[in-house]
Amino acid sequence: MFHLLDLIGTMAFAMSGALTAMHKKLDPFGVFIIAFVTAVGGGTLRDVLIGRTPVGWMLDLQYVYVIILGFVLAILFRKKFDKLRTSLFLFDTIGLGVFTLIGLEKGIMIGLHPVICIALGTMTACFGGVTRDILCTEIPTIFRREIYATICIFGGIVFFVLKKLNLENDILYLVTSIVIITVRLMAVKFKWYLPAFEHKVK
Amino acid sequence: MFHLLDLIGTMAFAMSGALTAMHKKLDPFGVFIIAFVTAVGGGTLRDVLIGRTPVGWMLDLQYVYVIILGFVLAILFRKKFDKLRTSLFLFDTIGLGVFTLIGLEKGIMIGLHPVICIALGTMTACFGGVTRDILCTEIPTIFRREIYATICIFGGIVFFVLKKLNLENDILYLVTSIVIITVRLMAVKFKWYLPAFEHKVK
Amino acid sequence: MFHLLDLIGTMAFAMSGALTAMHKKLDPFGVFIIAFVTAVGGGTLRDVLIGRTPVGWMLDLQYVYVIILGFVLAILFRKKFDKLRTSLFLFDTIGLGVFTLIGLEKGIMIGLHPVICIALGTMTACFGGVTRDILCTEIPTIFRREIYATICIFGGIVFFVLKKLNLENDILYLVTSIVIITVRLMAVKFKWYLPAFEHKVK
């Protein structure tokens, strides 16, 4: 079940990458690469930083296939994108929840401090999108708009608070993902965002 | 012989990096760094992702010396660049073929799936140029123009098809490099390219 | 003492990152991330390239706390920044010296060639700033202005020359840092810089 959600999230991230890249008028190879790094970029950075190599997607081809599928779907349905926006947003939000949990898990597995685990969770969920934006030479969206990463951090804190209560692992995972997904849906619905600094350096 | 071609390719990549950086009016240090990452960026990313550390160029100073040589040559001959364009293009194409093969080889050595090996070969050949463009804040050329990476992928497929036929290793390497180099020369001569997406996201 | 200087340098780098990010009107999360990567980016790249994982800051929370402190200070005092410019510049210069030494040290510890150790020192001191500029989509400052990285390379050479003379380790470190810090102060005071290339590629 969890693995299935992981694959759905990966596909959603790949599609979001492909759509951004098509918008930038890249060629098909460029679109594929952006789809790929958006989908696996976060997990790859995490694996490299904790020394878990070869990195995840090299050992499990399912990710590669799911990304190819997302890439093809994004190309085929690019003109119907408006109608699909809601589904894509939902998938992306699932990805956000699942990826954060996977990052937390890897950190705990090698005995890192909760603060670092939360950083790993946030990185797993957000860095793919950051790489996508850098490759398209834009200042990463998550640094400017939307509470996105902040939700991952919040989810990570909820996770460790619940863990202290000795909840069973399954429930712990379920509750944390629901919290992340719910907050994200509410954040978008009610347009919550962090104010930018007005500060001007002279 | 193969090692010599590797060094020639490295030097060509360093020169292409140096020329791009001079065009952007960077200072000598900036030019050197861009030359360096263009030359070793692909192999470095590959080594980091498969956990082969310290990465290649740290253990073999020949690469560093060849890059310094390429950097100096690029500065000295920068005004005669037009006349050298053809040689540089040839060297760069040799680099493309050799780097792809080296990437394939490293993947096979640690038992990764052919699909991943092809990704590693393409990464080795192309990522240096991607980093060069990002450091100069341009959308990477290979995402927009030229069939470049696509040729590496094609070369990788040829490699594994021939491998199935139990060809001797030397011949396998020779044929694959010739295929990559020939296709690249033809692609440039006949202006083959992948069409960009016309799609506009509203 | 050395560790204290390291923490001071880390905080100064975090503050410089935060100030750049606020100038770009990022939201608080974006500002924090830029502060973080500016502070630890160089050491992280170094650790990843030499295979020292999990990377440094994951194993020592002091860095994280010091960065948070720098981030908070940068926000609180952002309007008094002009008065603090000198102190910040001094701290940043301390960071430059200390980070270069730490990079050199890690390279020596795993038996790398002096040329590579100098590269690691320079990387440790400079790559955080490079990442900061890339995330803000600017061509890295150190490629265009100021002798910054060049001073790290110079400091590295001084280090290995003195090492040949069999100086005691403490004195070696002290002299090298003083050299780096002094040259940097003089470089800024007397406006030393490397000339950019006027070259135009046609």
Side-chain angles (χ1 to χ4, degrees):
Chain A
M1 177 61 188
F2 190 68
H3 187 59
L4 182 66
L5 290 177
D6 183 12
L7 291 176
I8 288 177
T10 303
M11 200 175 78
F13 274 44
M15 291 178 76
S16 108
L19 290 164
T20 309
M22 283 189 283
H23 188 52
K24 282 271 178 174
K25 306 207 168 157
L26 301 190
D27 70 25
F29 174 77
V31 173
F32 180 70
I33 293 299
I34 305 275
F36 201 92
V37 299
T38 309
V40 302
T44 301
L45 178 67
R46 178 203 63 219
D47 284 352
V48 164
L49 294 188
I50 63 175
R52 195 168 156 269
T53 51
V55 297
W57 57 268
M58 293 196 176
L59 302 174
D60 184 350
L61 281 184
Q62 282 189 300
Y63 292 101
V64 178
Y65 297 146
V66 153
I67 291 169
I68 293 175
L69 183 63
F71 166 69
V72 171
L73 289 177
I75 289 179
L76 291 181
F77 294 109
R78 66 186 186 277
K79 280 169 188 167
K80 299 190 180 147
F81 177 64
D82 277 340
K83 287 175 195 158
L84 295 169
R85 203 180 279 263
T86 315
S87 335
L88 193 60
F89 170 70
L90 278 177
F91 288 169
D92 183 81
T93 301
I94 292 172
L96 192 71
V98 176
F99 286 15
T100 305
L101 278 169
I102 294 176
L104 289 170
E105 199 184 32
K106 303 292 182 216
I108 293 168
M109 268 169 56
I110 58 168
L112 296 174
H113 187 280
V115 166
I116 305 297
C117 294
I118 293 175
L120 287 172
T122 309
M123 194 186 284
T124 307
C126 301
F127 193 76
V130 171
T131 321
R132 176 197 62 212
D133 294 340
I134 293 174
L135 287 177
C136 296
T137 63
E138 303 205 338
I139 292 190
T141 336
I142 66 158
F143 293 168
R144 290 176 304 155
R145 281 194 296 255
E146 288 194 34
I147 341 186
Y148 193 92
T150 313
I151 296 172
C152 302
I153 296 174
F154 176 69
I157 294 170
V158 168
F159 180 89
F160 281 105
V161 169
L162 293 179
K163 206 173 143 72
K164 279 275 181 206
L165 306 177
N166 279 317
L167 282 191
E168 214 181 316
N169 250 4
D170 281 3
I171 299 181
L172 188 58
Y173 276 58
L174 191 69
V175 174
T176 311
S177 355
I178 291 176
V179 166
I180 295 178
I181 292 172
T182 313
V183 176
R184 160 94 156 131
L185 295 179
M186 288 170 65
V188 170
K189 182 149 182 61
F190 300 113
K191 301 193 198 305
W192 294 342
Y193 61 96
L194 300 178
F197 286 100
E198 294 285 332
H199 167 65
K200 272 194 108 169
V201 174
K202 274 163 263 179
Chain B
M1 176 63 188
F2 189 69
H3 187 59
L4 183 66
L5 290 176
D6 182 11
L7 292 176
I8 288 176
T10 303
M11 200 176 79
F13 274 44
M15 291 179 75
S16 108
L19 290 164
T20 309
M22 283 190 282
H23 188 53
K24 282 273 177 174
K25 307 207 167 155
L26 301 191
D27 70 25
F29 175 77
V31 173
F32 180 69
I33 292 299
I34 306 274
F36 201 92
V37 298
T38 309
V40 302
T44 301
L45 178 67
R46 178 202 64 219
D47 285 351
V48 164
L49 294 187
I50 64 177
R52 195 169 156 270
T53 51
V55 297
W57 57 268
M58 293 195 175
L59 303 174
D60 184 350
L61 280 184
Q62 281 190 301
Y63 291 101
V64 178
Y65 297 145
V66 153
I67 291 169
I68 293 175
L69 183 63
F71 166 69
V72 171
L73 289 177
I75 289 180
L76 292 181
F77 294 109
R78 66 185 186 277
K79 280 171 187 165
K80 298 190 181 147
F81 178 63
D82 277 339
K83 288 175 196 159
L84 296 169
R85 203 180 280 264
T86 316
S87 335
L88 192 62
F89 170 70
L90 278 177
F91 288 169
D92 183 81
T93 301
I94 292 172
L96 193 70
V98 176
F99 286 14
T100 306
L101 278 170
I102 294 176
L104 288 169
E105 199 183 33
K106 304 291 183 219
I108 293 168
M109 269 169 57
I110 58 167
L112 296 174
H113 188 280
V115 166
I116 304 297
C117 294
I118 293 175
L120 287 172
T122 308
M123 192 186 285
T124 308
C126 302
F127 192 77
V130 171
T131 320
R132 176 196 63 212
D133 295 340
I134 293 174
L135 287 177
C136 296
T137 62
E138 303 205 338
I139 292 190
T141 336
I142 66 158
F143 294 168
R144 289 177 304 155
R145 283 193 296 252
E146 289 194 33
I147 342 186
Y148 193 92
T150 313
I151 296 171
C152 302
I153 297 174
F154 176 69
I157 295 171
V158 167
F159 179 89
F160 281 104
V161 168
L162 293 178
K163 205 172 145 73
K164 278 276 179 204
L165 306 176
N166 278 316
L167 283 190
E168 216 181 313
N169 250 4
D170 282 3
I171 299 182
L172 188 57
Y173 276 57
L174 191 69
V175 174
T176 311
S177 356
I178 290 176
V179 166
I180 295 178
I181 292 172
T182 313
V183 176
R184 160 94 156 129
L185 295 179
M186 287 170 66
V188 170
K189 180 148 183 63
F190 300 115
K191 301 192 197 306
W192 294 344
Y193 63 94
L194 299 178
F197 286 100
E198 294 285 332
H199 167 67
K200 273 195 108 169
V201 174
K202 273 162 266 179
Chain C
M1 175 64 186
F2 190 68
H3 187 59
L4 182 66
L5 290 176
D6 182 12
L7 292 176
I8 289 177
T10 304
M11 200 175 79
F13 275 44
M15 290 178 75
S16 107
L19 290 165
T20 310
M22 283 189 283
H23 188 53
K24 282 272 177 175
K25 307 205 168 158
L26 300 190
D27 70 24
F29 174 77
V31 173
F32 180 69
I33 293 298
I34 306 272
F36 201 92
V37 298
T38 308
V40 301
T44 301
L45 178 67
R46 178 202 64 219
D47 285 351
V48 164
L49 295 188
I50 64 176
R52 194 167 157 272
T53 51
V55 298
W57 57 268
M58 293 195 176
L59 303 175
D60 183 352
L61 280 184
Q62 281 189 301
Y63 292 102
V64 178
Y65 297 144
V66 153
I67 292 168
I68 293 175
L69 183 62
F71 166 70
V72 171
L73 289 178
I75 289 180
L76 291 181
F77 294 108
R78 67 186 185 276
K79 280 170 189 167
K80 300 192 180 145
F81 177 64
D82 277 339
K83 288 175 194 157
L84 295 169
R85 202 180 281 262
T86 315
S87 337
L88 193 61
F89 170 70
L90 278 177
F91 288 170
D92 183 81
T93 301
I94 292 172
L96 193 71
V98 176
F99 285 14
T100 306
L101 278 170
I102 294 176
L104 289 170
E105 198 183 34
K106 303 290 182 217
I108 292 167
M109 269 169 56
I110 58 166
L112 295 174
H113 187 280
V115 167
I116 305 297
C117 294
I118 293 176
L120 288 172
T122 309
M123 194 186 283
T124 307
C126 302
F127 193 76
V130 171
T131 320
R132 175 197 62 212
D133 295 340
I134 293 175
L135 288 177
C136 296
T137 63
E138 302 205 339
I139 293 190
T141 337
I142 66 158
F143 294 168
R144 290 176 303 155
R145 281 193 298 254
E146 288 196 32
I147 343 186
Y148 194 91
T150 313
I151 296 171
C152 303
I153 296 174
F154 176 70
I157 294 171
V158 168
F159 180 89
F160 280 105
V161 168
L162 294 179
K163 205 171 144 74
K164 278 277 181 204
L165 306 176
N166 279 317
L167 283 191
E168 214 181 316
N169 250 4
D170 281 3
I171 299 181
L172 189 58
Y173 276 58
L174 191 69
V175 175
T176 311
S177 357
I178 290 176
V179 167
I180 296 178
I181 292 173
T182 313
V183 176
R184 161 95 156 128
L185 295 180
M186 287 170 67
V188 170
K189 180 146 184 63
F190 300 114
K191 300 192 198 308
W192 295 343
Y193 61 95
L194 299 178
F197 286 100
E198 293 285 331
H199 168 66
K200 271 196 109 168
V201 175
K202 274 162 262 178

